[in-house]
Amino acid sequence: MTGFGRGVAEHATVDVRAVNHRFLDLKLRGEPVAPGTEEAIGARVRGAIERGSIVVSIRLVREGAGGPRIDEAAARAAHAALAQLARELGTAPPELALVLAQPGVVAAPEANRDGDGPAILAALDAALAELGRMRAAEGVTLARELTARLAELAGRRDAIAR
């Protein structure tokens, strides 16, 4: 069943999206997390959901954490390589956005990845609870619809039998 849940705890926001799928397919998006936290996320999702394509998005917000860090040496190297390629191809020099998009040029602020686990898991629990409520409501609506269709089919069967 499809659904969405969001949980917030301390500095962590976790969104869980579920769509129909034959098996359990779990994907983690967003902030990097410690391996132990990643395992705990997988265990909690598997404990709450039997099947579906599940996307867990993690966002951490800290006051005063600063913005992203730019590796100037990597940016200069990427710009030089892209500018050389542009000259060889006879195209315009690379724009700043292209340079910043290169791997290793922009890094997120360093976080205490191990210390984020409790907040992430608390937010995940809240998101899974909200997702469960949404899926249950969808199940009730679907059951109502199927019951109405079965009643209609029974009426048509009786009409045909007469």
Side-chain angles (χ1 to χ4, degrees):
M1 295 198 159
T2 61
F4 171 82
R6 172 172 286 163
V8 179
E10 297 178 35
H11 59 277
T13 300
V14 175
D15 292 337
V16 180
R17 288 182 170 78
V19 295
N20 294 331
H21 194 277
R22 188 172 174 186
F23 304 103
L24 181 63
D25 179 25
L26 175 61
K27 295 177 186 79
L28 293 180
R29 303 268 193 262
E31 304 284 340
V33 297
T37 303
E38 187 173 333
E39 288 177 28
I41 290 169
R44 288 184 185 199
V45 169
R46 282 188 295 281
I49 301 169
E50 274 186 49
R51 63 186 192 89
S53 178
I54 313 298
V55 177
V56 175
S57 300
I58 301 166
R59 193 179 74 210
L60 301 173
V61 178
R62 290 185 186 75
E63 295 299 321
R69 185 184 55 79
I70 297 175
D71 183 337
E72 290 185 29
R76 291 180 196 285
H79 183 268
L82 291 169
Q84 176 64 32
L85 180 62
R87 280 190 296 279
E88 290 173 10
L89 296 175
T91 63
E95 293 188 18
L96 181 59
L98 180 61
V99 173
L100 292 174
Q102 301 309 303
V105 173
V106 178
E110 288 299 315
N112 180 3
R113 289 175 54 184
D114 291 332
D116 294 327
I120 291 170
L121 294 176
L124 175 66
D125 289 342
L128 287 171
E130 187 176 326
L131 173 65
R133 287 188 295 274
M134 183 176 276
R135 291 177 80 181
E138 181 186 8
V140 168
T141 302
L142 184 58
R144 235 184 270 132
E145 177 69 25
L146 289 173
T147 301
R149 288 183 184 205
L150 285 172
E152 181 183 338
L153 286 172
R156 290 182 182 195
R157 182 196 63 213
D158 293 343
I160 291 170
R162 285 191 293 269

